[in-house]
Amino acid sequence: MKYMLLLYAAPDKEPAYGTPEFDDMMEAFAATSETFKNDGVLVGGEGLQDVETATSLRIKAGKVEIMDGPFAETREHLGGYYVVDVADLDSALKYAEMIPIAHFGTVEIRPLLDYDPADG
């Protein structure tokens, strides 16, 4: 089953760029990605540019509305994701625990929809 691991953190909780703590975090992300690859569970994943670069779109009453920035007002921002293919939620949770952001943010684990269950 495929799961998306969504990485959220409050910017003021993240290690500051250029600090040893930031370098340690990035090394931990590289190690996490390597573990996911070596275990054969990594489908994909990327970091996202800062929330200020976001554009949101919605359609209300047939009219397209485009807004700068994310729609949701939250302290934590979506900063990246992994997609893993594992046996079950317990396995997805095991991999989510490895992600460095879990120490100062949140990892949301969401199963992906399977639009063709007969295909699997």
Side-chain angles (χ1 to χ4, degrees), residues 44-107:
E46 289 293 338
L48 301 174
Q49 291 189 24
D50 288 339
V51 68
E52 293 81 18
T53 67
T55 301
S56 297
L57 179 144
R58 64 179 169 201
I59 300 174
K60 282 191 168 184
K63 182 180 177 212
V64 175
E65 296 179 4
I66 299 173
M67 300 149 286
D68 289 336
F71 179 70
E73 292 292 327
T74 63
R75 287 189 307 260
E76 292 189 331
H77 300 166
L78 177 62
Y81 68 93
Y82 285 101
V83 176
V84 296
D85 192 353
V86 294
D88 52 30
L89 177 59
D90 288 337
S91 297
L93 289 166
K94 178 185 92 168
Y95 285 101
E97 286 180 29
M98 297 178 194
I99 300 171
I101 214 158
H103 295 277
F104 56 86
T106 303
V107 179

